[in-house]
């Protein structure tokens, strides 16, 4: 499997507060059958750092993973919070793309109105390929908005935990509806050190409900296309 949304890179956001914790998270990924991981630290609020800081942290962590003998490929990106001046930030090349390609993982505020299709349209016009992170969490992004986003050329990511955790109510229900409607491009872990990695459990659920072909697309094949450009 390929995980395109993780908060494993240590000491750069709220994902992991130590190298040891990050290495443990990578170990868990490998044990679940993950072969490729995109490290996507938050870029928002107190976690605004220049690209070189993230790159240096990433290169150092890759060495630690190699020293630990963990057989996994690592790539760098960001989970970019969309602010009012996002167009200027994209024009100024502020952000890290996934695996140094054209794909960007974006997130929105959880409250208030979001014109997600318009934002996706503008980001595409600027030359990028936006992936909306955990789209099931946004109350203001409805099914019709997701359809429009896909028609515009945007991509949809759902969290593994949203598919398997019934306790989160409407988020769980929305994630399943999106999956049944064929609107999901990627399932990812969005793992943090204090958040369980449900990727393997979710992959088994999808295979049981929709078959191996869909499972392979959502957990491996689509993500590999991003990494390969």
């Amino acid at each position: 499997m390929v995980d395109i949304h993780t908060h494993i890179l240590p000491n750069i956001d709220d994902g992991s507060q130590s190298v040891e914790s990050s290495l443990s998270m990578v170990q868990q990924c490998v044990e679940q059958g993950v072969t490729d991981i995109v490290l996507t630290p938050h870029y928002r609020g107190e976690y605004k750092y220049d690209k070189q800081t993230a790159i240096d942290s990433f290169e150092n962590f890759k060495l630690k993973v190699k020293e630990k003998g963990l057989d996994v490929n690592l790539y760098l990106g960001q989970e970019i919070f969309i602010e009012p001046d996002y167009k200027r930030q994209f024009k100024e090349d502020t952000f890290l793309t996934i695996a140094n390609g054209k794909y960007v993982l974006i997130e929105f505020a959880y409250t208030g109105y979001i014109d997600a299709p318009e934002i996706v349209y503008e980001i595409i016009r600027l030359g990028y390929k936006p992936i909306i992170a955990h789209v099931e969490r946004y109350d203001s992004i409805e099914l019709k908005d997701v359809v429009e986003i896909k028609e515009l050329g945007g991509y949809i990511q759902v969290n593994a935990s949203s598919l398997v955790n019934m306790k989160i109510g409407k988020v769980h229900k929305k994630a399943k509806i999106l999956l049944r409607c064929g609107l999901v491009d990627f399932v990812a872990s969005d793992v943090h050190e204090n958040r369980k990695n449900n990727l393997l459990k979710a992959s088994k659920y999808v295979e049981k409900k929709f078959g191996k072909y869909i499972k392979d697309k959502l957990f491996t094949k689509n993500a590999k296309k991003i990494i390969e450009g």
Side-chain angles (χ1 to χ4, degrees), residues 52-173:
Q52 195 57 50
T53 297
I55 291 167
D56 291 344
S57 178
F58 174 68
E59 294 299 332
N60 289 332
F61 184 62
K62 278 206 301 185
L63 292 175
K64 298 291 185 183
V65 171
K66 187 175 181 180
E67 290 170 4
K68 191 76 170 177
L70 296 169
D71 186 17
V72 65
N73 301 309
L74 300 181
Y75 305 89
L76 184 60
Q78 284 175 325
E79 183 179 9
I80 302 160
F81 182 79
I82 297 299
E83 298 181 328
D85 65 341
Y86 73 94
K87 284 187 276 188
R88 177 191 62 79
Q89 291 175 312
F90 274 106
K91 288 175 182 176
E92 294 178 357
D93 194 28
T94 303
F95 307 119
L96 289 165
T97 59
I98 293 177
N100 205 31
K102 288 294 183 181
Y103 292 87
V104 286
L105 185 68
I106 63 172
E107 68 168 336
F108 304 108
Y110 292 116
T111 58
Y113 173 71
I114 305 163
D115 191 347
E118 176 65 20
I119 293 169
V120 165
Y121 171 74
E122 292 294 344
I123 292 174
I124 291 171
R125 283 186 65 230
L126 292 168
Y128 297 89
K129 298 180 178 182
I131 303 167
I132 298 184
H134 41 59
V135 73
E136 70 278 11
R137 290 185 176 182
Y138 310 111
D139 288 339
S140 70
I141 299 181
E142 301 176 0
L143 193 63
K144 63 180 178 60
D145 299 313
V146 176
V147 171
E148 186 175 354
I149 287 164
K150 298 268 291 181
E151 290 174 346
L152 287 167
Y155 299 87
I156 301 299
Q157 180 255 309
V158 163
N159 279 3
S161 57
S162 298
L163 292 174
V164 298
N165 185 1
M166 291 184 290
K167 293 180 180 179
I168 53 178
K170 63 181 181 180
V171 172
H172 172 65
K173 183 178 179 181

Side-chain angles (χ1 to χ4, degrees), residues 1-3 8 24-37 71-72 160-161 164 188-189 191 195-204 215 219-220:
M1 291 188 289
V2 180
D3 196 351
I8 290 175
S24 176
M25 292 161 74
V26 173
Q27 178 70 53
Q28 290 171 28
C29 288
V30 172
E31 289 171 355
Q32 294 199 49
V34 176
T35 58
D36 301 81
I37 307 171
D71 186 17
V72 65
S161 57
V164 298
S189 70
V191 68
R195 188 180 298 173
K196 187 177 180 181
N197 191 330
N198 284 301
L199 204 60
L200 180 59
K201 186 175 181 180
S203 73
K204 290 179 178 179
K215 185 262 289 186
F219 290 83
T220 305

